[in-house]
């Protein structure tokens, strides 16, 4: 079943359009990845989905209903949670406070219940337990990413938008992040993943889209993208295999 | 000695006023990252509203206070809409200048309507106060101290203990991220401004019987509340209180024992000294930028 | 704050005296015009007010517009100048210009003391301290009656005589102050495109990057504030002579706000904006006088409307429309002479770090790390997030003070040197989160690097431009030389940052995660760039998590974990070290080998 369907999406921030008629669809339970170079429009796609881009045209259907033009607060209430580029952890709040605020889209849930869920999150992301009361600005990159994902999951999303989760992380942590992405899917959450690390992204994704300057270059299964010479040359470093 | 105690009490009362005005400041700084130079005008407007309800229309005093505070809350929304909302993505300075513009506007509108004369107004109690030993306790000052203490406690609990407080802080730190989490950013900002204006109005009403009501009544208080805020620690609630009290006592003692004309200078000298020696204030934390 | 820049940008072949004839002409025209114009009474006063205020507002352009520091005491400095002239000529019977000089010196001194006290700290501290200074000055002017005449003010202020020529006549005096205003405007305008002006703007846009680009941040801020206090006093002194009567309320907090509003209304990053803003706000209340009592209220409302609808001020509005017609830089530029020494990797140690420690409270971010970087090599520093790599670089470049240990760079102990002095010694860096000067053009950004003190081209403005363009050629960005950096994409900003470092001809370049956010193909290009740099004899230290890149370029690797060194040596040895695999690399998964 189609969870998300984007047809002819065009978006602009005032200057020129960043997206020019993009078509993307995501089925329930999938991990779909968006690849492409800087400025290709990957992050803008996610920002358009979560209501952060004011000028969008085309169709954005979520469970068959249009969410175009809704405010970010309304979209997250429908079950689309966005973990943005740069993690955006509130620097002056503690890890625990950051995580519990992830549930701000859920109305009428008792504080006690939410605190219990935070405890589960802290147990799931084992490294965070000891940092529970640390302020956001004191965390390292890997810790920030874990808090950002935990906070995103507190919204109990149907669809999680993950923007560059591996950016600036050590190889070991990158592996951990992608294991978490897989476990998120196994919890029943669909993931739309934007990544520069194509190796890792394609290793967990069911399908991928490659964007170039706001349009779709090619899409398909990971193996098909790996073997596409055009994609290899432009985004996968060309040449032979890497480790 | 009794002179000294009397002065300390009086200083505490004045300090409580600074603390009260300072609380509104701190709220806007912490929940909206706004330095509001129109905060004093909230106090002036609140006092004038009470003049209208009580002195002119003859409405019950306490009912009049309630009405004034509610109207001030509504006024805070208009203030936010005019001075803050259009500039919210443009950093601190444009908003500061626009609140200064609002302050000039409000002062002169009131001046136009009421003229420059000062208006006396009744206090909360019929009795002026009572004697403890040789110290005279003024009932209005005592009320200010008690109400300030209660409001401080309330604000502290809201910010540190409730989810609402955390949402307010999150909104101040990153509006876009807050909206992505489903925090109603506009409502958070509206709450902040409404509460801050109501608080400012209440402060004005409480000091009105002491200072009388005039267009300029809040100008110097606002600057000193600002000084109190820095002395206590920029943006810190307990800091705003202690800074306000310290300032009130220092200038009351200074005026009595050193010089009356330079009474207002003590606050700013204290501020200068703090900025040079301990710029983070009493309760402030030194936050170093992560490179 | 929105910023503008770009007037008077040097092209290749810039002449420092360019514009001088026009300037002289402007002064002559203004002086003759003022001397013989039939301006009388009311209009004369308006013109005198506008000209003297403008000088004060131009001071704000320097401190706020160029250097980004908020000063809310310009009326106080204005008042110091005014009172020096008034009391000097009336009570002490000294020459007008001597009195003016005393006022200017006093004001500059006050500015210096206030600046030295607070400008070491960032943020709004200057704004706060200037508010206090303003209040105290007003109280002193009002209450020290024996000396200042108190609230009554000072009457019959004298106008000057110079070489037997009297400026007593209104029009003659107006000519004098207009000439002064024109000269100050030109000074402020020329300052913007000067080395000091660029340093101020760099400080405004990014203090940390300015300090590691060789700019003395604290000194630059103090100088900017000092100049602004001096200009304030000049304006005030001339004001006192013009109106012949002054009183404390003319120099109150409210007037400081008026001056600040004038600067912002006109456009605070341009001297012409300051003029436009001053004239508008001098005239606006006059135009609004028909509104009688409400005119000040309308004035207050206008301030809000201006902030909302003219974000860059009146001048910014004009300037934004003119900016589109900037020509691209063309012409031949010599190739970038990066370094004098040969490109051979040698055993000579360049950067020697011994037992370096940095503690934050109880946290030992860097805990006794030693390493040696050798000339002409690429030395990689890797380790888990939070292992202390960036802290290490911050201590080496001087942004953090070392808790313990010793850093030797090219044989010199730099452990306690300020960041700008380390840069001047030849240590350049880039940042994990790009730090460029967003309000300046690409070329200006790179010129900041080229003109670092100690660079071979630093004293020749033409050579600075040539070096900057050569560095831009090296990263293939010359076509964007006149674009604002803030308008560029992330990847291009990264290249500007690298070009800025290269233009300073460093001995050693520290790169903090240069590959973050690049796709695989871009990473390959970056790797090639680094190899080319190494070929030019540059020593490079790189932090990155991309092991392909590190393997491709590194000659030597040091691994940190929890602030301690856990491995150090040749790449193949370090990357197969079991501790490094356990703490950092993890086991490569089958999928990745696709």
């Amino acid at each position: 079943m189609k969870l998300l369907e984007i047809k002819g999406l065009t978006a602009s921030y005032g200057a020129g359009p960043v997206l020019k008629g993009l078509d993307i669809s995501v089925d329930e339970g999938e991990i779909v990845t968006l690849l492409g170079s800087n400025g290709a429009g990957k992050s803008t796609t996610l920002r358009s989905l979560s209501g952060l881009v004011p000028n969008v045209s085309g169709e954005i259907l979520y469970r068959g209903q249009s969410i175009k033009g809704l405010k970010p607060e309304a979209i997250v209430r429908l079950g689309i949670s966005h973990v943005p580029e740069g993690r955006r952890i509130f620097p002056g709040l503690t890890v625990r406070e950051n995580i519990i605020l992830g549930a701000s889209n859920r109305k009428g849930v008792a504080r006690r219940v939410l605190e219990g869920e935070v405890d589960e999150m802290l147990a799931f992301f084992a490294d965070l337990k000891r940092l529970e009361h640390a302020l956001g600005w004191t965390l390292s990159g890997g810790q920030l990413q874990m808090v950002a994902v935990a906070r995103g999951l507190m919204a109990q999303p149907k669809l999680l938008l993950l923007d560059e989760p591996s950016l600036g992380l050590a190889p070991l942590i990158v592996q951990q992040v992608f294991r978490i992405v897989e476990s998120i899917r196994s919890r029943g959450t669909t993931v739309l993943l934007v990544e520069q690390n194509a190796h890792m992204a394609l290793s967990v994704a069911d399908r991928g889209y490659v964007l170039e300057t706001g349009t779709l270059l090619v899409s398909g299964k990971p193996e098909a993208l790996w073997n596409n010479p055009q994609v290899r040359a432009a985004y996968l470093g060309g040449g032979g295999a890497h480790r | 000695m009794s002179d000294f105690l009397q002065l300390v009490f009086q200083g505490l009362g004045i300090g409580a006023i600074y603390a009260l005005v300072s609380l509104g400041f701190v709220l806007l700084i912490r929940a909206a990252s706004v330095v509001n130079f129109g905060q004093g005008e909230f106090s002036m407007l609140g006092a004038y509203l009470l003049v209208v309800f009580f002195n002119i229309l003859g409405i019950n005093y306490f009912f009049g206070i309630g009405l004034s505070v509610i109207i001030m809350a509504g006024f805070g929304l208009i203030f936010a809409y005019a001075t803050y909302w259009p500039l919210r993505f443009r950093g601190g300075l444009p908003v500061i200048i626009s609140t200064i513009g609002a302050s000039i506007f409000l002062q002169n509108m009131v001046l136009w309507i009421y003229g420059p004369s000062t208006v006396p107004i009744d206090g909360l109690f019929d009795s002026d106060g009572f004697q403890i030993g040789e110290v005279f306790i003024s009932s209005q000052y005592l009320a200010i101290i008690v109400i300030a203490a209660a409001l401080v406690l309330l604000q502290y609990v809201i910010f540190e203990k409730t989810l609402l407080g955390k949402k307010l802080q999150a909104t101040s730190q990153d509006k876009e991220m807050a909206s992505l989490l489903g925090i109603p950013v506009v409502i958070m900002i509206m709450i902040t401004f409404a509460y801050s204006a109501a608080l400012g109005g209440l402060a004005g009403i409480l000091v009105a019987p002491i200072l009388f009501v005039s267009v300029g009544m809040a100008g110097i208080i606002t600057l000193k509340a600002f000084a109190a805020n820095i002395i206590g620690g920029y943006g810190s609630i307990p800091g705003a209180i202690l800074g306000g009290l310290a300032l009130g006592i220092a200038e009351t003692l200074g005026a009595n024992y050193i010089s009356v004309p330079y009474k207002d200078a003590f606050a700013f000298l204290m501020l200068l000294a703090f900025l040079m020696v301990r710029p983070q204030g009493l309760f402030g934390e030194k936050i170093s930028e992560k490179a | 704050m929105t910023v503008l820049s770009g007037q008077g940008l040097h092209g290749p072949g810039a002449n420092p005296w360019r514009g001088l004839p026009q300037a002289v002409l402007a002064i002559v025209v203004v002086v003759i015009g003022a001397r013989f114009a039939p301006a009388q009474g009311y209009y004369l006063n308006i013109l005198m007010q506008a000209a003297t205020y403008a000088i004060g507002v131009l001071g704000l352009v320097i401190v706020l517009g160029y250097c980004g520091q908020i000063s809310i005491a310009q009326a106080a400095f204005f008042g110091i100048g005014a009172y020096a002239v008034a009391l000097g000529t009336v009570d002490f019977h000294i020459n007008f210009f001597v009195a003016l000089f005393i006022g200017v010196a006093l004001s500059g001194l006050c500015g210096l003391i206030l600046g030295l006290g607070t400008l070491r700290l960032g943020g709004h501290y200057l704004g706060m301290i200037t508010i206090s200074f303003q209040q105290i000055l007003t109280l002193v002017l009002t209450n020290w009656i024996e000396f200042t005449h108190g609230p009554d003010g000072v009457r019959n202020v004298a106008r000057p005589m110079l070489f037997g020529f009297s400026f007593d006549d209104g029009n003659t005096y107006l000519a004098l102050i207009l000439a002064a205003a024109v000269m100050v405007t030109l000074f402020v305008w020329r300052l913007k495109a000067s080395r000091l002006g660029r340093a101020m703007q760099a400080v405004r846009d990014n203090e940390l990057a300015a300090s590691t680009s060789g700019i003395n941040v604290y000194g630059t801020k103090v100088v900017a504030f000092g100049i602004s206090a001096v200009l304030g006093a000049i304006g005030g002194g001339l004001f006192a002579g013009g109106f012949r009567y002054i009183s404390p309320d003319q120099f109150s907090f409210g007037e400081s706000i008026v001056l600040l509003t004038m600067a912002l209304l006109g456009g605070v990053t341009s001297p012409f904006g300051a003029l436009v803003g001053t004239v508008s706000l001098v005239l606006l209340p006059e135009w609004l006088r028909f509104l009688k009592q409400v005119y000040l209220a309308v004035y207050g409302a206008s301030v809000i409307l201006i902030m909302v609808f003219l974000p860059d001020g009146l001048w910014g509005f004009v300037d934004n429309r003119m900016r589109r017609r900037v020509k691209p830089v063309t012409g031949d530029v010599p190739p970038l002479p990066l370094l004098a020494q040969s490109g051979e990797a040698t055993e000579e140690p360049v950067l020697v770090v011994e037992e370096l420690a940095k503690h934050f409270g109880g946290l030992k971010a860097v805990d006794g790390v030693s390493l040696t970087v050798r000339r002409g090599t690429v030395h990689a520093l890797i380790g888990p997030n939070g292992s202390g790599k960036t802290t290490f670089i911050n201590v080496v470049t001087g942004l953090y003070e070392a808790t313990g240990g010793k850093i030797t760079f090219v044989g010199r102990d730099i452990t306690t040197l300020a960041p700008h002095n380390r840069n001047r010694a030849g240590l350049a860096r880039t940042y994990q989160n790009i730090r460029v000067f967003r309000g300046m053009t690409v070329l200006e950004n790179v010129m900041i690097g080229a003109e670092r003190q100690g660079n071979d081209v630093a004293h020749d403005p033409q050579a600075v431009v040539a070096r900057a363009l050569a560095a831009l050629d090296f990263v293939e960005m010359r076509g964007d030389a006149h674009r604002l950096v803030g308008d560029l994409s992330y990847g291009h900003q990264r290249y500007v940052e690298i070009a800025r470092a290269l233009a300073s001809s460093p001995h050693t370049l520290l790169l903090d995660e240069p590959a973050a956010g690049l796709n695989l193909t871009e990473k390959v290009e970056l790797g090639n760039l680094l190899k080319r740099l190494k070929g030019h004899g540059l020593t490079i230290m790189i932090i990155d998590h991309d092991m392909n890149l590190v393997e491709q370029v590194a000659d030597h690797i040091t691994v940190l974990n929890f602030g301690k060194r856990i491995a150090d040596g040749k790449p193949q040895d370090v990357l197969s070290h079991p501790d490094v695999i356990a703490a950092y690399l993890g086991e490569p998964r089958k999928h990745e080998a696709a």
Side-chain angles (χ1 to χ4, degrees), chain B residues 65-147:
Chain B
I65 290 179
L67 265 180
S68 306
V69 170
I70 290 167
I71 293 177
M72 280 314 296
F75 177 77
L77 298 182
I78 301 172
F79 186 89
Y81 184 74
T83 63
Y84 169 73
W85 194 250
L87 300 167
R88 64 194 185 283
F89 297 123
R90 294 243 308 271
L93 194 63
V95 179
I96 291 180
I97 298 291
S98 112
T99 62
I100 289 168
S103 150
I104 298 173
F105 173 77
L106 293 172
Q107 278 196 22
N108 286 287
M109 284 307 281
V110 173
L111 190 67
W112 181 49
I113 297 169
Y114 289 97
S117 58
T118 52
V119 186
I121 194 165
D122 288 1
L124 289 168
F125 309 101
D126 293 333
S127 142
D128 280 346
F130 49 91
Q131 205 79 28
I132 297 183
E134 290 179 50
V135 180
F136 178 76
I137 304 290
S138 145
S139 48
Q140 189 75 18
Y141 275 124
L142 189 64
I144 290 174
I145 294 171
V146 171
I147 292 173

Side-chain angles (χ1 to χ4, degrees), chain A:
Chain A
M1 188 198 136
K2 290 256 180 292
L3 184 66
L4 179 74
E5 215 172 350
I6 300 173
K7 289 180 198 159
L9 181 67
T10 300
S12 65
Y13 291 110
V18 184
L19 298 177
K20 304 160 201 160
L22 200 59
D23 296 329
I24 286 175
S25 72
V26 180
D27 287 345
E28 201 152 352
E30 270 191 313
I31 297 178
V32 173
T33 181
L34 301 184
L35 305 172
S37 54
N38 277 307
K42 306 182 301 292
S43 295
T44 305
T45 307
L46 296 195
R47 292 173 62 85
S48 305
L49 290 177
S50 56
L52 292 177
V53 183
N55 304 317
V56 289
S57 58
E59 265 187 88
I60 305 174
L61 299 179
Y62 171 70
R63 300 170 132 183
Q65 293 208 319
S66 173
I67 57 166
K68 194 180 72 180
L70 294 184
K71 282 187 170 14
E73 294 100 301
I75 290 173
V76 65
R77 256 173 247 141
L78 295 174
I80 301 181
S81 178
H82 185 168
V83 179
E85 199 179 355
R87 291 98 199 206
R88 308 278 284 270
I89 297 305
F90 301 113
L93 298 180
T94 66
V95 167
R96 193 174 185 94
E97 290 164 352
N98 264 287
I99 293 176
I100 199 168
L101 284 182
S104 300
N105 62 330
R106 292 156 58 196
K107 296 281 165 248
V109 185
R111 170 93 183 252
R112 198 169 38 80
V113 176
L114 293 180
E115 296 285 359
E117 288 183 29
V118 174
D119 288 331
E120 285 170 29
M121 282 295 166
L122 291 172
F124 182 70
F125 296 91
D127 293 348
L128 295 183
K129 182 65 196 156
R130 65 189 171 87
L131 296 166
E132 196 181 342
H133 299 295
L135 289 178
W137 69 275
T138 63
L139 304 184
S140 74
Q143 295 162 348
L144 286 171
Q145 188 60 52
M146 299 302 164
V147 178
V149 172
R151 186 176 65 180
L153 291 175
M154 282 295 286
Q156 297 191 338
K158 286 273 174 298
L159 173 62
L160 186 69
L161 311 177
L162 263 181
D163 199 348
E164 302 243 15
S166 79
L167 185 72
L169 300 187
L172 190 65
I173 307 291
V174 172
Q175 291 157 23
Q176 202 181 333
V177 164
F178 282 95
R179 274 197 292 277
I180 288 168
V181 170
E182 285 179 323
S183 71
I184 289 169
R185 187 246 304 266
S186 60
R187 288 162 56 128
T189 303
T190 309
V191 179
L192 182 55
L193 173 70
V194 162
E195 255 303 331
Q196 290 288 9
N197 189 335
H199 294 287
M200 291 302 269
L202 289 175
S203 74
V204 297
D206 299 303
R207 289 185 302 120
Y209 290 81
V210 180
L211 309 192
E212 191 173 69
T213 58
T215 54
L216 188 61
L217 183 70
V218 59
S219 67
K221 298 270 178 203
E223 306 81 60
L225 295 179
W226 268 126
N227 297 326
N228 182 324
Q230 211 183 347
V231 174
R232 278 198 93 82
Y235 305 107
L236 304 176
H242 298 267
R243 63 168 227 106

Side-chain angles (χ1 to χ4, degrees), chain C residues 405-548:
Chain C
K406 187 178 171 193
I407 309 163
T408 313
F409 181 61
V410 207
R412 178 178 172 198
D413 184 350
I414 60 165
T415 316
T416 56
L417 229 49
H420 60 271
N421 286 327
R422 298 188 199 204
N423 176 263
R424 289 171 187 179
L427 194 60
R429 71 170 286 180
T430 66
Y431 289 85
Q432 188 177 340
N433 311 311
I434 302 169
R435 291 181 177 271
V436 286
F437 309 121
R438 297 180 61 87
M440 304 170 78
T441 65
V442 169
L443 181 61
E444 287 170 319
N445 265 269
V446 182
M447 282 170 74
I448 299 256
E451 63 195 355
R452 76 155 166 97
Q453 207 175 309
N455 199 4
D456 54 335
V457 295
H459 294 288
D460 178 357
Q462 286 188 45
V464 165
V465 174
R467 174 64 56 84
L469 288 172
L472 284 174
D473 271 342
F474 200 86
V475 295
E476 294 169 0
M477 284 206 53
R478 194 190 331 172
D480 296 309
H482 286 304
R483 291 181 66 188
L484 277 185
V485 172
D487 293 343
L488 299 178
S489 74
Y490 183 85
H492 284 142
Q493 291 187 13
R494 181 134 261 160
Y495 282 137
V496 172
E497 203 188 23
I498 293 176
R500 179 179 71 201
L502 291 181
S504 72
S505 321
H507 286 88
T508 299
L509 180 60
L510 309 177
L511 299 166
D512 193 354
E513 295 200 27
L518 301 184
N519 73 32
L520 292 173
T521 302
E522 290 164 333
K523 280 178 182 173
V524 171
E525 286 168 16
L526 178 72
N528 292 335
L529 177 71
L530 296 181
K531 283 181 196 159
R532 270 199 291 155
L533 288 173
K534 191 168 80 163
H536 278 77
L538 201 66
T539 308
I540 296 173
M541 180 169 216
I542 181 174
I543 296 181
D544 212 279
H545 288 304
D546 188 290
M547 286 305 113
N548 287 321

Side-chain angles (χ1 to χ4, degrees), chain B residues 270-281, chain C residues 117-118 121 129:
Chain B
M270 220 168 126
L271 179 57
L272 273 181
F274 260 91
L275 285 171
M276 295 275 188
V277 179
R278 193 180 158 81
Q280 71 271 37
Chain C
T118 48
L121 312 151
I129 206 154

Side-chain angles (χ1 to χ4, degrees), chain C residues 252-541:
Chain C
S252 64
F253 178 68
E255 290 305 305
S256 275
I257 298 300
V258 168
L259 292 171
L260 194 61
T261 314
M262 286 173 171
L264 289 163
L265 166 67
V268 72
T269 56
S270 156
F272 307 107
L275 296 185
V276 172
T278 310
V279 172
S280 311
L281 277 203
V282 168
L283 291 179
L284 185 64
E286 303 299 326
W287 290 336
L288 294 176
R289 269 194 206 284
F290 73 94
L291 295 169
K292 305 229 162 41
Q293 296 101 320
V294 285
Y295 92 94
L296 274 173
V298 175
Y299 168 74
S302 314
V303 170
I304 302 178
L305 293 176
I306 288 161
M307 290 321 297
V308 172
F309 291 109
L310 294 173
D312 297 323
L314 293 166
W315 183 257
F317 184 76
V318 178
D319 198 47
N320 278 343
R321 271 146 196 77
M322 304 203 316
R323 171 174 287 288
R324 308 225 169 106
R325 285 184 275 134
V326 183
K327 276 177 266 164
V329 185
T330 50
D332 285 332
V333 170
L336 181 63
L338 277 168
L339 284 172
Q341 63 267 64
S342 75
E344 299 294 309
T346 64
E347 287 300 296
E348 183 197 347
V350 173
L351 179 67
V352 181
V353 177
E354 295 160 82
E355 290 298 317
L356 192 71
K358 177 66 195 172
H359 301 172
F360 296 102
L363 175 73
K364 293 178 178 173
V366 175
D367 191 8
V369 173
S370 302
L371 58 80
T372 302
V373 181
R374 298 183 188 279
R375 185 176 300 284
T377 61
V378 174
H379 191 125
L381 184 63
I382 62 175
N385 301 103
S387 62
K389 304 181 301 295
T390 295
T391 306
F392 179 84
I393 294 251
N394 286 342
V395 178
V396 168
T397 52
L399 297 180
Y400 295 156
E401 215 174 296
T403 311
K406 187 178 171 193
I407 309 163
T408 313
F409 181 61
V410 207
R412 178 178 172 198
D413 184 350
I414 60 165
T415 316
T416 56
L417 229 49
H420 60 271
N421 286 327
R422 298 188 199 204
N423 176 263
R424 289 171 187 179
L427 194 60
R429 71 170 286 180
T430 66
Y431 289 85
Q432 188 177 340
N433 311 311
I434 302 169
R435 291 181 177 271
V436 286
F437 309 121
R438 297 180 61 87
M440 304 170 78
T441 65
V442 169
L443 181 61
E444 287 170 319
N445 265 269
V446 182
M447 282 170 74
I448 299 256
E451 63 195 355
R452 76 155 166 97
Q453 207 175 309
N455 199 4
D456 54 335
V457 295
H459 294 288
D460 178 357
Q462 286 188 45
V464 165
V465 174
R467 174 64 56 84
L469 288 172
L472 284 174
D473 271 342
F474 200 86
V475 295
E476 294 169 0
M477 284 206 53
R478 194 190 331 172
D480 296 309
H482 286 304
R483 291 181 66 188
L484 277 185
V485 172
D487 293 343
L488 299 178
S489 74
Y490 183 85
H492 284 142
Q493 291 187 13
R494 181 134 261 160
Y495 282 137
V496 172
E497 203 188 23
I498 293 176
R500 179 179 71 201
L502 291 181
S504 72
S505 321
H507 286 88
T508 299
L509 180 60
L510 309 177
L511 299 166
D512 193 354
E513 295 200 27
L518 301 184
N519 73 32
L520 292 173
T521 302
E522 290 164 333
K523 280 178 182 173
V524 171
E525 286 168 16
L526 178 72
N528 292 335
L529 177 71
L530 296 181
K531 283 181 196 159
R532 270 199 291 155
L533 288 173
K534 191 168 80 163
H536 278 77
L538 201 66
T539 308
I540 296 173
M541 180 169 216

